[in-house]
Each structure stands twice: as structure tokens, then as C-alpha cells.
Amino acid sequence: MSTPSNSTTMLYLVPLIIMSCMRFVLAANFHRDFDILWGNGRGSILSNGKIVRLSLDEYSGSGIQTKCPYFFLRIDMQIKLIPGNSAGTVTAFYLASEGDKRDEIDIEFLGNLTDEPYTVHTNIFTKGNGSREQQFHLWFDPTRNFHTYTITWNPFMIVMYVEGTPIRVFKNMESNGVPYLKDMPMRVYLSLWDGDQWATRGGTVKTNWSESPFKAWFRNYKVRGCVWMNGESSCSSGSSNTVKHDWYNLKELDSSSKEMLKLVQHKHMFYSYCNDSSRFPHGFPLECDEK
């Protein structure tokens, strides 16, 4: 029996890859849409692709990534965090491009001692530069049930949501000299890892490995996005698939969402780089002036 040439094989494989990526926009299945990235068996896709369980012990954590990169998207992810003494652990839900000069949008959940609140640590990197941290305490117990966390990234702004409530906005202010995330596609990542050098009270509370393995759970994600394939976005201006949806065209929060954002930041945000004069003695970053 003859075997196909490499070029012929690629002709068959490329349409399959494209179909998989396009289906990812429309439906949700971890088996089909994500690859286990690391962890040597500590990351598991369960229930016919409906649930991911990530595990962390003293030897390793675990993580997964989407098969397809995206160039703008909205993703909702239901997460149930580690119960009990989770000090030192970091459960992460984020977008990132490749390379040292990466773009990145982070939502990281920093564990704590039993009955102490989790910290939601957020950050935004542009071309490898971060230092845009904002931190919050949640207004519910994120370990008892699944809760929905959302990242919207479009040409105009980045918005992070908790249970539909906006907690952080980062606008495209390139006209004012602020770099924005619009040059590199990004994949979606989920990971669980040991961050006890910094994660809990600045690293003063260490991971208690006698309570490992620690486990976090993910399910019911929904992606609406622009697939990046062969150097082009499925939402490019010349494409018939140009996005017309609300998430892509969102330029401003509505008045109700702005009020919710203000309330959450007043009651639940306990750190913002835009208020830390010790880090910026010569003036805050330009985006801190945006109201």
C-alpha cells in the first residue's frame, strides 16, 4: 500500500484543524478544544470533555491551553477553587501570546488559610511589560460552588467580570501613548501551581504540602472569539465572518455597569498600582489618569 506524501497529508490535516478551531467558537468541549500542556498526569479532562480537574502536589502543578489562538474574544469560565487551607497555591485563568515580549491578561486566584478570603490578582502585560496589578477580595466563598469569571478582549477595551459584574477595565489608550494588546494572538490557559514565595501575604504563609494534592475544577466555558489561522483573524475586515456581536464592539460600559464597577472597586479592591506612589514616585502610568 502506498503512503501519501507529506504535502498531501497536510492538505488533509489543515481543513481538520480549521474545522476544529471554528467549532471552538460555537461549542464547548475540553477534549476537542484544549490540550493538556504540563503536569505529567495531574491535569485531567473528565465527564466526556465537560470538566477539567487540575491538581498540585509538592512535585508539580498542571495546566492546559486552547488548541487555537485568538485575536480578540470573550470567554466565560466556571471555576471552583481549592477549599480549606489553600495558602501558597495559585489557580490561574488567563490569556497569553508566545515569546518573551508577550501580551497577557491575567486572573489569578491566590490561596489562603482556612476561612480567610482568596485574593483575586489581576494583571495586564503589553509586549512583556506588566506591573499593572489590581487585587480584590471576593464577596462570596469561591470554593463551595462553581462561579463564572469572564474576560472580554476587543479592539477597544479589556474587561474582567466576576459573576457578570465588571471588576476591572483597561481601555485602548494608544492615542495617549499607552501600549495596547492588539498585535499578537493569544491562547486561553488554565493552570494550578505553587506560588508560595509570593502568593499568600507576600510569601510569609507557605504551602502546607501535607494537605496536597490540591485540586481546582473548571466547567461550562463559553467562547465567542476570532480564531487566528494562517496569519489572519476570522474577524478581519475583509472576511465574511466579521464580528457584529456586542462583545466585539463594546467601547464603553453602560451606566449600570459603570456603577457596579465603581462599587466593586470601592468595597472589594484593596490594591491598585494606580494608587501605589512608592512604586511610581515620579508619576503614575498614563492609563491611571483615565476615568
Side-chain angles (χ1 to χ4, degrees), residues 66-147:
T66 53
K67 297 178 185 294
C68 306
Y70 290 85
F71 203 93
F72 305 128
L73 59 68
R74 175 187 169 111
I75 178 166
D76 304 277
M77 183 70 66
Q78 289 192 341
I79 305 173
K80 185 178 180 181
L81 296 174
I82 303 161
N85 181 1
S86 58
T89 67
V90 180
T91 305
F93 165 44
Y94 65 104
L95 313 180
S97 62
E98 297 180 353
D100 294 335
K101 300 292 185 179
R102 71 190 185 283
D103 288 346
E104 188 167 320
I105 304 170
D106 294 338
I107 299 179
E108 295 178 318
F109 303 92
L110 312 185
N112 213 330
L113 297 171
T114 302
D115 296 328
E116 293 294 322
Y118 264 81
T119 291
V120 181
H121 176 93
T122 69
N123 202 359
I124 294 171
F125 288 75
T126 57
K127 297 180 175 59
N129 295 318
S131 300
R132 298 185 179 94
E133 301 92 343
Q134 289 185 351
Q135 295 183 331
F136 305 78
H137 284 150
L138 293 172
W139 50 96
F140 53 83
D141 182 349
T143 71
R144 298 187 65 180
N145 297 295
F146 284 91
H147 293 273

XYZ file of all heavy atoms in Angstrom, residues 66-147:
673
model
N -5.723 26.268 25.085
C -6.560 26.045 23.910
C -5.693 25.617 22.730
O -4.547 26.032 22.583
C -7.341 27.306 23.520
O -6.437 28.414 23.376
C -8.395 27.634 24.555
N -6.280 24.782 21.888
C -5.586 24.370 20.673
C -5.382 25.555 19.736
O -4.394 25.637 19.022
C -6.397 23.290 19.958
C -6.572 21.991 20.733
C -7.431 21.016 19.949
C -7.731 19.756 20.760
N -6.529 18.953 21.022
N -6.342 26.474 19.740
C -6.334 27.589 18.792
C -6.002 28.909 19.476
O -6.503 29.179 20.568
C -7.699 27.733 18.139
S -8.297 26.222 17.374
N -5.188 29.736 18.854
C -5.036 31.116 19.330
C -6.185 31.982 18.825
O -6.841 31.650 17.841
C -3.701 31.554 18.722
C -3.571 30.729 17.479
C -4.287 29.430 17.727
N -6.390 33.088 19.513
C -7.468 34.019 19.182
C -6.915 35.432 19.063
O -5.949 35.801 19.718
C -8.574 33.981 20.247
C -9.337 32.688 20.206
C -8.874 31.571 20.878
C -10.488 32.576 19.444
C -9.540 30.369 20.798
C -11.163 31.381 19.359
C -10.687 30.277 20.042
O -11.346 29.088 19.951
N -7.579 36.202 18.228
C -7.254 37.620 18.097
C -8.526 38.397 18.407
O -9.266 38.776 17.506
C -6.749 37.921 16.683
C -5.907 39.165 16.609
C -4.537 39.095 16.727
C -6.497 40.409 16.448
C -3.759 40.245 16.659
C -5.730 41.551 16.389
C -4.359 41.475 16.495
N -8.770 38.568 19.706
C -9.945 39.138 20.342
C -10.979 38.037 20.631
O -11.236 37.176 19.789
C -10.586 40.278 19.543
C -9.638 41.396 19.207
C -9.496 41.839 17.908
C -8.870 41.989 20.206
C -8.617 42.866 17.597
C -7.991 43.016 19.906
C -7.862 43.456 18.607
N -11.530 38.108 21.838
C -12.532 37.135 22.241
C -13.238 37.592 23.502
O -12.819 38.532 24.176
C -11.907 35.745 22.473
C -10.798 35.539 23.515
C -11.234 35.715 24.957
C -10.228 34.131 23.364
N -14.316 36.881 23.807
C -14.944 36.906 25.122
C -15.025 35.457 25.570
O -15.524 34.603 24.836
C -16.339 37.519 25.092
C -17.040 37.435 26.473
C -18.484 37.876 26.426
N -19.164 37.538 27.676
C -19.580 38.431 28.579
N -19.392 39.721 28.373
N -20.198 38.026 29.681
N -14.521 35.183 26.773
C -14.595 33.837 27.315
C -15.149 33.872 28.730
O -14.713 34.685 29.559
C -13.227 33.114 27.285
C -13.372 31.708 27.922
C -12.118 33.925 27.926
C -12.218 30.789 27.650
N -16.144 33.020 28.969
C -16.703 32.804 30.300
C -16.246 31.425 30.769
O -16.334 30.453 30.013
C -18.230 32.825 30.258
C -18.783 34.103 29.649
O -18.892 35.094 30.368
O -19.111 34.090 28.447
N -15.782 31.332 32.010
C -15.303 30.066 32.561
C -15.853 29.889 33.971
O -15.701 30.786 34.815
C -13.771 30.055 32.612
C -13.160 28.756 33.111
S -13.320 27.369 31.964
C -12.294 27.936 30.596
N -16.490 28.762 34.231
C -16.928 28.451 35.589
C -15.799 27.722 36.315
O -15.245 26.747 35.798
C -18.189 27.595 35.571
C -19.421 28.348 35.132
C -20.701 27.573 35.397
O -20.700 26.377 35.587
N -21.816 28.295 35.400
N -15.468 28.213 37.519
C -14.336 27.688 38.290
C -14.772 27.437 39.720
O -15.497 28.246 40.317
C -13.151 28.687 38.278
C -12.748 29.036 36.839
C -11.959 28.107 39.042
C -11.699 30.131 36.747
N -14.313 26.329 40.258
C -14.485 26.026 41.677
C -13.091 25.868 42.274
O -12.319 25.000 41.861
C -15.299 24.745 41.860
C -15.637 24.421 43.310
C -16.490 23.162 43.376
C -16.855 22.806 44.807
N -17.665 21.553 44.872
N -12.774 26.706 43.260
C -11.415 26.797 43.772
C -11.156 25.821 44.913
O -12.072 25.202 45.464
C -11.133 28.232 44.218
C -11.172 29.277 43.099
C -11.038 30.679 43.667
C -10.073 29.021 42.066
N -9.892 25.704 45.276
C -9.424 24.772 46.300
C -10.032 25.152 47.652
O -9.865 26.284 48.114
C -7.892 24.822 46.408
C -7.259 24.505 45.062
C -7.374 23.874 47.488
C -5.806 24.963 44.964
N -10.702 24.232 48.340
C -11.266 24.543 49.656
C -10.226 24.404 50.762
O -9.129 23.871 50.556
C -12.363 23.482 49.809
C -11.833 22.301 49.048
C -11.074 22.878 47.873
N -10.584 24.891 51.942
C -9.713 24.711 53.109
C -8.446 25.534 53.022
O -8.437 26.654 52.510
N -7.363 24.969 53.530
C -6.077 25.653 53.531
C -5.457 25.584 52.145
O -4.876 24.575 51.759
C -5.147 25.018 54.563
C -3.793 25.722 54.632
O -3.555 26.702 53.927
N -2.916 25.226 55.481
N -5.597 26.664 51.402
C -5.062 26.738 50.036
C -3.867 27.671 49.953
O -3.450 28.067 48.858
C -6.151 27.216 49.077
O -6.657 28.487 49.489
N -3.303 28.055 51.096
C -2.195 29.025 51.129
C -1.061 28.579 50.217
O -0.686 27.406 50.179
C -1.689 29.190 52.557
N -0.518 29.535 49.484
C 0.613 29.276 48.603
C 0.239 28.855 47.207
O 1.078 28.883 46.305
N -1.018 28.456 46.994
C -1.432 27.983 45.670
C -1.892 29.139 44.794
O -2.384 30.155 45.282
C -2.562 26.950 45.782
O -3.752 27.593 46.273
C -2.177 25.816 46.732
N -1.723 28.960 43.487
C -2.198 29.928 42.505
C -3.006 29.174 41.449
O -2.476 28.302 40.758
C -1.042 30.673 41.819
C -1.586 31.675 40.800
C -0.168 31.389 42.844
N -4.287 29.498 41.356
C -5.143 28.966 40.306
C -5.328 30.067 39.276
O -5.799 31.160 39.612
C -6.513 28.539 40.861
O -6.322 27.613 41.935
C -7.359 27.894 39.780
N -4.955 29.809 38.026
C -4.885 30.879 37.031
C -5.812 30.618 35.852
O -5.950 29.490 35.374
C -3.455 31.031 36.529
N -6.441 31.687 35.385
C -7.289 31.725 34.198
C -6.823 32.944 33.417
O -7.011 34.075 33.856
C -8.749 31.827 34.624
C -9.726 32.225 33.549
C -9.675 31.682 32.279
C -10.737 33.148 33.821
C -10.584 32.047 31.297
C -11.664 33.513 32.857
C -11.582 32.966 31.600
N -6.175 32.726 32.269
C -5.545 33.870 31.607
C -5.396 33.656 30.108
O -5.553 32.544 29.590
C -4.182 34.165 32.246
C -3.121 33.092 32.086
C -2.077 33.248 31.174
C -3.126 31.944 32.879
C -1.083 32.282 31.048
C -2.137 30.980 32.766
C -1.123 31.154 31.843
O -0.138 30.191 31.720
N -5.095 34.757 29.422
C -4.762 34.752 28.002
C -3.302 35.153 27.869
O -2.830 36.024 28.605
C -5.619 35.755 27.221
C -7.125 35.784 27.450
C -7.762 36.867 26.573
C -7.743 34.444 27.168
N -2.593 34.551 26.906
C -1.188 34.920 26.709
C -0.769 34.614 25.283
O -1.201 33.625 24.677
C -0.288 34.170 27.692
N 0.092 35.483 24.751
C 0.736 35.231 23.468
C 2.038 34.486 23.720
O 2.382 34.177 24.867
C 0.993 36.552 22.743
O 1.882 37.369 23.508
N 2.774 34.204 22.670
C 4.017 33.465 22.798
C 5.208 34.421 22.804
O 5.131 35.541 22.327
C 4.152 32.463 21.651
C 3.066 31.398 21.645
C 3.217 30.416 20.499
O 4.088 30.650 19.635
O 2.470 29.416 20.467
N 6.333 33.958 23.368
C 7.567 34.721 23.333
C 7.801 35.568 24.564
O 6.904 35.759 25.398
N 9.029 36.086 24.673
C 9.400 36.893 25.824
C 8.654 38.227 25.861
O 8.337 38.745 26.928
C 10.913 37.155 25.822
C 11.715 35.872 26.025
O 11.167 34.924 26.615
O 12.866 35.820 25.562
N 8.387 38.795 24.717
C 7.685 40.082 24.637
C 6.182 39.840 24.518
O 5.499 40.369 23.650
C 8.196 40.889 23.444
C 9.672 41.215 23.496
C 9.989 42.185 24.615
C 11.454 42.606 24.595
N 11.786 43.564 25.671
N 5.664 39.056 25.440
C 4.292 38.578 25.319
C 3.276 39.628 25.771
O 3.568 40.509 26.573
C 4.102 37.316 26.157
C 4.099 37.572 27.665
C 4.146 36.275 28.442
N 4.021 36.481 29.885
C 5.006 36.911 30.664
N 6.180 37.168 30.150
N 4.807 37.074 31.962
N 2.081 39.463 25.250
C 0.900 40.112 25.801
C 0.221 39.097 26.720
O 0.280 37.888 26.477
C -0.070 40.539 24.701
C 0.430 41.726 23.896
O 1.383 42.391 24.335
O -0.144 41.995 22.820
N -0.456 39.591 27.758
C -1.073 38.669 28.710
C -2.167 39.390 29.489
O -2.029 40.566 29.848
C -0.011 38.121 29.665
C -0.473 37.017 30.583
C 0.688 36.314 31.277
O 1.723 36.081 30.620
O 0.580 36.034 32.480
N -3.253 38.672 29.731
C -4.355 39.162 30.561
C -4.593 38.123 31.636
O -4.978 36.990 31.330
C -5.638 39.377 29.728
C -5.382 40.337 28.560
C -6.765 39.894 30.615
C -6.527 40.398 27.563
N -4.356 38.483 32.895
C -4.345 37.518 33.996
C -5.498 37.705 34.970
O -5.766 38.828 35.426
C -3.063 37.660 34.829
C -1.813 37.280 34.072
O -1.919 36.537 33.087
O -0.719 37.716 34.475
N -6.154 36.587 35.310
C -6.947 36.487 36.528
C -6.359 35.321 37.308
O -6.418 34.172 36.852
C -8.434 36.247 36.245
C -9.037 37.405 35.441
C -9.201 36.064 37.549
C -10.517 37.222 35.103
N -5.786 35.610 38.465
C -5.157 34.575 39.280
C -5.778 34.597 40.678
O -5.960 35.665 41.268
C -3.646 34.801 39.378
C -2.937 34.668 38.042
C -1.451 34.933 38.137
O -1.064 35.889 38.848
O -0.675 34.203 37.494
N -6.081 33.414 41.181
C -6.693 33.280 42.496
C -5.626 32.797 43.476
O -5.105 31.683 43.339
C -7.856 32.287 42.427
C -8.900 32.667 41.409
C -8.832 32.188 40.114
C -9.945 33.524 41.747
C -9.787 32.533 39.170
C -10.908 33.885 40.809
C -10.821 33.383 39.514
N -5.292 33.650 44.427
C -4.223 33.358 45.377
C -4.835 32.762 46.635
O -5.657 33.387 47.305
C -3.447 34.636 45.717
C -3.001 35.494 44.518
C -2.149 36.659 45.005
C -2.260 34.681 43.470
N -4.414 31.534 46.965
C -4.994 30.815 48.095
C -4.653 31.440 49.434
O -3.783 32.307 49.547
N -5.345 30.951 50.476
C -5.143 31.490 51.817
C -5.440 30.401 52.843
O -5.821 29.284 52.496
C -6.043 32.706 52.052
C -5.398 33.731 52.965
O -4.596 33.384 53.840
N -5.744 34.989 52.775
N -5.249 30.737 54.103
C -5.562 29.812 55.175
C -7.070 29.582 55.258
O -7.865 30.387 54.764
C -5.041 30.365 56.508
C -3.519 30.539 56.602
C -3.161 31.298 57.873
C -2.826 29.175 56.575
N -7.480 28.497 55.863
C -8.888 28.162 56.006
C -9.669 29.329 56.608
O -9.231 29.946 57.587
C -9.048 26.921 56.889
O -8.323 25.830 56.298
C -10.507 26.526 57.024
N -10.799 29.641 55.971
C -11.723 30.704 56.387
C -11.207 32.113 56.112
O -11.888 33.092 56.432
C -12.093 30.581 57.879
C -12.851 29.302 58.181
O -13.597 28.839 57.295
O -12.701 28.774 59.294
N -10.009 32.233 55.542
C -9.523 33.537 55.107
C -9.847 33.708 53.621
O -9.878 32.732 52.872
C -8.014 33.662 55.335
C -7.613 33.677 56.798
C -8.116 34.905 57.525
O -8.124 35.991 56.930
O -8.539 34.769 58.694
N -10.085 34.932 53.158
C -10.536 35.106 51.770
C -9.430 34.875 50.750
O -8.250 35.133 51.011
C -10.994 36.574 51.739
C -10.188 37.238 52.809
C -10.037 36.208 53.897
N -9.835 34.368 49.601
C -8.952 34.333 48.433
C -8.667 35.765 47.975
O -9.489 36.672 48.160
C -9.625 33.597 47.285
C -9.269 32.137 47.147
C -9.888 31.177 47.933
C -8.320 31.727 46.214
C -9.582 29.834 47.783
C -8.008 30.383 46.062
C -8.631 29.442 46.843
O -8.324 28.113 46.707
N -7.511 35.948 47.353
C -7.207 37.183 46.655
C -7.340 36.948 45.160
O -6.774 35.990 44.622
C -5.783 37.666 46.968
O -5.712 38.099 48.332
C -5.379 38.829 46.062
N -8.102 37.809 44.484
C -8.155 37.792 43.027
C -7.104 38.782 42.528
O -7.241 39.992 42.704
C -9.551 38.166 42.503
C -9.576 38.103 40.975
C -10.596 37.233 43.080
N -6.060 38.247 41.951
C -4.918 39.033 41.489
C -5.053 39.199 39.978
O -5.072 38.209 39.236
C -3.622 38.304 41.841
C -2.375 38.954 41.337
N -1.647 39.843 42.095
C -1.719 38.825 40.156
C -0.586 40.232 41.410
N -0.611 39.635 40.228
N -5.165 40.435 39.502
C -5.294 40.690 38.061
C -4.095 41.482 37.573
O -3.507 42.283 38.307
C -6.580 41.466 37.739
O -6.488 42.810 38.239
C -7.795 40.785 38.368
N -3.743 41.245 36.314
C -2.623 41.979 35.730
C -2.779 41.985 34.215
O -3.462 41.132 33.641
C -1.283 41.352 36.121
C -0.126 42.327 36.005
O -0.302 43.488 35.617
N 1.071 41.881 36.328
N -2.123 42.942 33.581
C -2.133 43.077 32.123
C -0.718 43.365 31.659
O -0.076 44.313 32.138
C -3.092 44.197 31.676
C -4.539 43.807 32.009
C -2.944 44.481 30.183
C -5.539 44.911 31.817
N -0.224 42.530 30.742
C 1.101 42.706 30.148
C 0.953 43.178 28.710
O 0.105 42.669 27.964
C 1.858 41.376 30.126
C 2.344 40.889 31.459
C 1.467 40.337 32.373
C 3.690 40.951 31.792
C 1.906 39.867 33.599
C 4.146 40.484 33.012
C 3.249 39.945 33.918
N 1.775 44.132 28.319
C 1.885 44.530 26.920
C 3.343 44.433 26.511
O 4.207 45.070 27.106
C 1.382 45.959 26.693
O 2.104 46.864 27.543
C -0.102 46.067 26.978
N 3.592 43.553 25.521
C 4.943 43.338 24.998
C 5.945 43.027 26.105
O 7.064 43.540 26.134
C 5.384 44.540 24.171
C 4.518 44.765 22.926
C 4.970 45.964 22.122
C 4.158 46.074 20.826
N 2.719 46.207 21.050
N 5.531 42.218 27.043
C 6.407 41.754 28.109
C 6.429 42.619 29.345
O 7.049 42.251 30.343
N 5.769 43.752 29.313
C 5.766 44.654 30.459
C 4.440 44.555 31.210
O 3.369 44.774 30.642
C 5.973 46.106 29.993
C 7.338 46.307 29.381
O 8.333 45.805 29.897
N 7.403 47.022 28.258
N 4.530 44.203 32.511
C 3.347 44.087 33.344
C 3.264 45.221 34.345
O 3.140 46.386 33.981
N 3.349 44.885 35.622
C 3.312 45.889 36.696
C 2.024 46.700 36.683
O 2.021 47.891 36.993
C 4.533 46.824 36.605
O 5.730 46.096 36.722
N 0.926 46.040 36.292
C -0.383 46.705 36.313
C -1.333 45.910 37.214
O -2.466 45.620 36.849
C -0.944 46.812 34.900
C -0.097 47.656 33.948
C -0.797 47.807 32.596
N -0.013 48.630 31.690
C 0.853 48.146 30.790
N 1.025 46.836 30.691
N 1.514 48.967 30.001
N -0.890 45.590 38.391
C -1.652 44.712 39.279
C -2.816 45.442 39.962
O -2.670 46.587 40.402
C -0.752 44.121 40.372
C 0.423 43.318 39.851
C 1.683 44.147 39.679
O 1.579 45.409 39.652
O 2.779 43.560 39.572
N -3.937 44.768 40.022
C -5.045 45.163 40.889
C -5.511 43.899 41.605
O -5.587 42.831 40.997
C -6.197 45.794 40.108
C -5.875 47.176 39.564
C -7.054 47.842 38.885
O -8.091 47.228 38.656
N -6.902 49.113 38.547
N -5.839 44.044 42.907
C -6.217 42.887 43.716
C -7.537 43.140 44.435
O -7.803 44.247 44.895
C -5.111 42.555 44.727
C -3.810 42.110 44.077
C -2.759 41.726 45.100
O -2.739 42.247 46.208
N -1.878 40.793 44.733
N -8.318 42.047 44.548
C -9.661 42.133 45.107
C -9.885 40.975 46.074
O -9.240 39.927 45.973
C -10.715 42.014 43.988
C -10.570 43.005 42.871
C -9.614 42.821 41.875
C -11.389 44.124 42.804
C -9.478 43.734 40.827
C -11.266 45.034 41.768
C -10.303 44.838 40.778
N -10.834 41.157 46.979
C -11.393 40.050 47.735
C -12.805 39.797 47.218
O -13.577 40.742 47.016
C -11.431 40.350 49.234
C -10.098 40.234 49.886
N -9.732 40.989 50.980
C -9.008 39.447 49.606
C -8.488 40.672 51.342
N -8.042 39.746 50.527
N -13.143 38.532 47.022
C -14.472 38.186 46.535
C -15.521 38.378 47.625
O -15.220 38.320 48.817
C -14.484 36.743 46.037
C -13.631 36.478 44.792
C -13.558 34.982 44.492
C -14.187 37.229 43.585
N -16.756 38.580 47.212
C -17.865 38.793 48.136
C -18.664 37.502 48.354
O -19.793 37.529 48.830
C -18.775 39.908 47.627
C -19.186 39.754 46.187
C -20.343 39.196 45.710
C -18.444 40.183 45.038
N -20.372 39.239 44.339
C -19.214 39.848 43.904
C -17.211 40.823 44.850
C -18.790 40.122 42.588
C -16.785 41.084 43.560
C -17.565 40.734 42.451
N -18.058 36.365 48.018
C -18.668 35.059 48.235
C -17.541 34.040 48.417
O -16.365 34.344 48.174
C -19.565 34.653 47.053
C -18.866 34.732 45.714
C -18.054 33.697 45.263
C -19.009 35.857 44.904
C -17.405 33.775 44.035
C -18.358 35.942 43.683
C -17.562 34.889 43.246
N -17.890 32.843 48.853
C -16.919 31.762 49.016
C -16.746 31.057 47.672
O -17.669 30.377 47.199
C -17.409 30.771 50.071
C -16.414 29.640 50.337
O -15.447 29.492 49.576
O -16.631 28.891 51.325
N -15.598 31.195 47.006
C -15.412 30.622 45.662
C -15.084 29.134 45.665
O -14.819 28.565 44.597
C -14.235 31.423 45.125
C -13.407 31.707 46.337
C -14.398 31.923 47.455
N -15.093 28.514 46.855
C -14.726 27.099 46.962
C -15.933 26.187 47.133
O -15.818 24.969 46.960
C -13.773 26.869 48.155
O -14.488 27.014 49.393
C -12.626 27.857 48.125
N -17.091 26.733 47.457
C -18.259 25.892 47.760
C -19.022 25.513 46.498
O -19.615 24.435 46.417
C -19.186 26.604 48.732
C -18.547 26.895 50.079
C -19.539 27.447 51.068
N -20.568 26.451 51.397
C -21.565 26.673 52.250
N -21.671 27.856 52.845
N -22.446 25.738 52.513
N -19.016 26.422 45.519
C -19.730 26.187 44.265
C -18.913 26.732 43.107
O -17.941 27.473 43.292
C -21.102 26.875 44.289
C -22.015 26.322 45.359
O -22.404 25.155 45.309
N -22.340 27.149 46.347
N -19.340 26.388 41.897
C -18.760 26.983 40.700
C -19.285 28.403 40.538
O -20.457 28.677 40.793
C -19.130 26.165 39.463
C -18.358 24.891 39.308
C -18.824 23.705 39.851
C -17.157 24.875 38.602
C -18.121 22.521 39.702
C -16.447 23.708 38.448
C -16.919 22.517 38.999
N -18.384 29.301 40.109
C -18.766 30.676 39.799
C -18.155 31.061 38.460
O -17.129 30.511 38.046
C -18.296 31.629 40.899
C -18.990 31.415 42.205
N -20.189 32.016 42.520
C -18.656 30.644 43.276
C -20.564 31.641 43.730
N -19.657 30.809 44.209
